[in-house]
PDB file of all heavy atoms in Angstrom:
ATOM      1  N   GLY N 116     117.512  44.399 101.668  1.00  0.00           N
ATOM      2  CA  GLY N 116     117.274  43.636 102.885  1.00  0.00           C
ATOM      3  C   GLY N 116     116.434  42.389 102.697  1.00  0.00           C
ATOM      4  O   GLY N 116     116.234  41.645 103.663  1.00  0.00           O
ATOM      5  N   THR N 117     115.924  42.143 101.482  1.00  0.00           N
ATOM      6  CA  THR N 117     115.080  40.974 101.277  1.00  0.00           C
ATOM      7  C   THR N 117     115.693  39.967 100.327  1.00  0.00           C
ATOM      8  O   THR N 117     115.261  38.823 100.267  1.00  0.00           O
ATOM      9  CB  THR N 117     113.697  41.377 100.696  1.00  0.00           C
ATOM     10  OG1 THR N 117     113.880  41.869  99.361  1.00  0.00           O
ATOM     11  CG2 THR N 117     113.001  42.388 101.565  1.00  0.00           C
ATOM     12  N   GLY N 118     116.692  40.387  99.535  1.00  0.00           N
ATOM     13  CA  GLY N 118     117.244  39.520  98.517  1.00  0.00           C
ATOM     14  C   GLY N 118     116.293  39.285  97.364  1.00  0.00           C
ATOM     15  O   GLY N 118     116.430  38.316  96.623  1.00  0.00           O
ATOM     16  N   ARG N 119     115.308  40.170  97.209  1.00  0.00           N
ATOM     17  CA  ARG N 119     114.282  39.981  96.185  1.00  0.00           C
ATOM     18  C   ARG N 119     114.209  41.205  95.262  1.00  0.00           C
ATOM     19  O   ARG N 119     114.553  42.312  95.637  1.00  0.00           O
ATOM     20  CB  ARG N 119     112.922  39.720  96.831  1.00  0.00           C
ATOM     21  CG  ARG N 119     112.964  38.416  97.618  1.00  0.00           C
ATOM     22  CD  ARG N 119     111.631  38.005  98.120  1.00  0.00           C
ATOM     23  NE  ARG N 119     111.797  36.782  98.945  1.00  0.00           N
ATOM     24  CZ  ARG N 119     110.827  35.995  99.279  1.00  0.00           C
ATOM     25  NH1 ARG N 119     109.593  36.275  98.907  1.00  0.00           N
ATOM     26  NH2 ARG N 119     111.048  34.930 100.001  1.00  0.00           N
ATOM     27  N   TRP N 120     113.710  40.925  94.080  1.00  0.00           N
ATOM     28  CA  TRP N 120     113.425  41.945  93.074  1.00  0.00           C
ATOM     29  C   TRP N 120     111.927  42.032  92.884  1.00  0.00           C
ATOM     30  O   TRP N 120     111.221  41.042  92.963  1.00  0.00           O
ATOM     31  CB  TRP N 120     114.084  41.550  91.736  1.00  0.00           C
ATOM     32  CG  TRP N 120     115.569  41.584  91.784  1.00  0.00           C
ATOM     33  CD1 TRP N 120     116.400  40.606  92.251  1.00  0.00           C
ATOM     34  CD2 TRP N 120     116.401  42.651  91.345  1.00  0.00           C
ATOM     35  NE1 TRP N 120     117.720  41.013  92.133  1.00  0.00           N
ATOM     36  CE2 TRP N 120     117.729  42.256  91.567  1.00  0.00           C
ATOM     37  CE3 TRP N 120     116.141  43.899  90.772  1.00  0.00           C
ATOM     38  CZ2 TRP N 120     118.811  43.079  91.238  1.00  0.00           C
ATOM     39  CZ3 TRP N 120     117.222  44.703  90.450  1.00  0.00           C
ATOM     40  CH2 TRP N 120     118.540  44.300  90.685  1.00  0.00           C
ATOM     41  N   VAL N 121     111.433  43.239  92.610  1.00  0.00           N
ATOM     42  CA  VAL N 121     110.013  43.471  92.349  1.00  0.00           C
ATOM     43  C   VAL N 121     109.898  44.159  91.010  1.00  0.00           C
ATOM     44  O   VAL N 121     110.627  45.111  90.721  1.00  0.00           O
ATOM     45  CB  VAL N 121     109.355  44.348  93.448  1.00  0.00           C
ATOM     46  CG1 VAL N 121     107.955  44.760  93.054  1.00  0.00           C
ATOM     47  CG2 VAL N 121     109.355  43.616  94.785  1.00  0.00           C
ATOM     48  N   ALA N 122     108.972  43.665  90.198  1.00  0.00           N
ATOM     49  CA  ALA N 122     108.649  44.306  88.911  1.00  0.00           C
ATOM     50  C   ALA N 122     107.140  44.459  88.820  1.00  0.00           C
ATOM     51  O   ALA N 122     106.393  43.594  89.286  1.00  0.00           O
ATOM     52  CB  ALA N 122     109.155  43.462  87.747  1.00  0.00           C
ATOM     53  N   VAL N 123     106.704  45.587  88.255  1.00  0.00           N
ATOM     54  CA  VAL N 123     105.288  45.772  87.932  1.00  0.00           C
ATOM     55  C   VAL N 123     105.204  46.050  86.431  1.00  0.00           C
ATOM     56  O   VAL N 123     106.012  46.799  85.890  1.00  0.00           O
ATOM     57  CB  VAL N 123     104.601  46.888  88.753  1.00  0.00           C
ATOM     58  CG1 VAL N 123     104.501  46.491  90.211  1.00  0.00           C
ATOM     59  CG2 VAL N 123     105.316  48.208  88.636  1.00  0.00           C
ATOM     60  N   ALA N 124     104.223  45.407  85.793  1.00  0.00           N
ATOM     61  CA  ALA N 124     104.132  45.496  84.336  1.00  0.00           C
ATOM     62  C   ALA N 124     102.699  45.249  83.889  1.00  0.00           C
ATOM     63  O   ALA N 124     101.907  44.644  84.611  1.00  0.00           O
ATOM     64  CB  ALA N 124     105.043  44.453  83.684  1.00  0.00           C
ATOM     65  N   VAL N 125     102.395  45.705  82.670  1.00  0.00           N
ATOM     66  CA  VAL N 125     101.109  45.423  82.035  1.00  0.00           C
ATOM     67  C   VAL N 125     101.340  44.336  80.996  1.00  0.00           C
ATOM     68  O   VAL N 125     102.108  44.547  80.038  1.00  0.00           O
ATOM     69  CB  VAL N 125     100.520  46.690  81.387  1.00  0.00           C
ATOM     70  CG1 VAL N 125      99.238  46.349  80.634  1.00  0.00           C
ATOM     71  CG2 VAL N 125     100.274  47.769  82.420  1.00  0.00           C
ATOM     72  N   ALA N 126     100.697  43.200  81.194  1.00  0.00           N
ATOM     73  CA  ALA N 126     100.814  42.085  80.255  1.00  0.00           C
ATOM     74  C   ALA N 126      99.764  42.275  79.150  1.00  0.00           C
ATOM     75  O   ALA N 126      98.575  42.009  79.373  1.00  0.00           O
ATOM     76  CB  ALA N 126     100.602  40.754  80.973  1.00  0.00           C
ATOM     77  N   ASP N 127     100.216  42.765  78.014  1.00  0.00           N
ATOM     78  CA  ASP N 127      99.285  43.004  76.892  1.00  0.00           C
ATOM     79  C   ASP N 127      99.882  42.594  75.556  1.00  0.00           C
ATOM     80  O   ASP N 127      99.302  42.861  74.509  1.00  0.00           O
ATOM     81  CB  ASP N 127      98.884  44.483  76.845  1.00  0.00           C
ATOM     82  CG  ASP N 127     100.048  45.387  76.464  1.00  0.00           C
ATOM     83  OD1 ASP N 127     101.202  45.085  76.811  1.00  0.00           O
ATOM     84  OD2 ASP N 127      99.796  46.406  75.809  1.00  0.00           O
ATOM     85  N   ARG N 128     101.004  41.906  75.554  1.00  0.00           N
ATOM     86  CA  ARG N 128     101.687  41.556  74.314  1.00  0.00           C
ATOM     87  C   ARG N 128     100.857  40.585  73.470  1.00  0.00           C
ATOM     88  O   ARG N 128     100.839  40.687  72.259  1.00  0.00           O
ATOM     89  CB  ARG N 128     103.060  40.956  74.634  1.00  0.00           C
ATOM     90  CG  ARG N 128     103.943  40.826  73.418  1.00  0.00           C
ATOM     91  CD  ARG N 128     105.311  40.256  73.777  1.00  0.00           C
ATOM     92  NE  ARG N 128     106.141  41.113  74.574  1.00  0.00           N
ATOM     93  CZ  ARG N 128     106.889  42.105  74.084  1.00  0.00           C
ATOM     94  NH1 ARG N 128     106.876  42.389  72.810  1.00  0.00           N
ATOM     95  NH2 ARG N 128     107.644  42.822  74.888  1.00  0.00           N
ATOM     96  N   ASP N 129     100.159  39.638  74.114  1.00  0.00           N
ATOM     97  CA  ASP N 129      99.380  38.639  73.382  1.00  0.00           C
ATOM     98  C   ASP N 129      97.934  39.111  73.246  1.00  0.00           C
ATOM     99  O   ASP N 129      97.177  39.130  74.219  1.00  0.00           O
ATOM    100  CB  ASP N 129      99.417  37.310  74.149  1.00  0.00           C
ATOM    101  CG  ASP N 129      98.692  36.190  73.426  1.00  0.00           C
ATOM    102  OD1 ASP N 129      98.049  36.428  72.378  1.00  0.00           O
ATOM    103  OD2 ASP N 129      98.769  35.050  73.912  1.00  0.00           O
TER     104      ASP N 129
END
Side-chain angles (χ1 to χ4, degrees):
T117 67
R119 297 187 183 196
W120 292 82
V121 171
V123 292
V125 176
D127 68 327
R128 192 179 292 278
D129 184 354

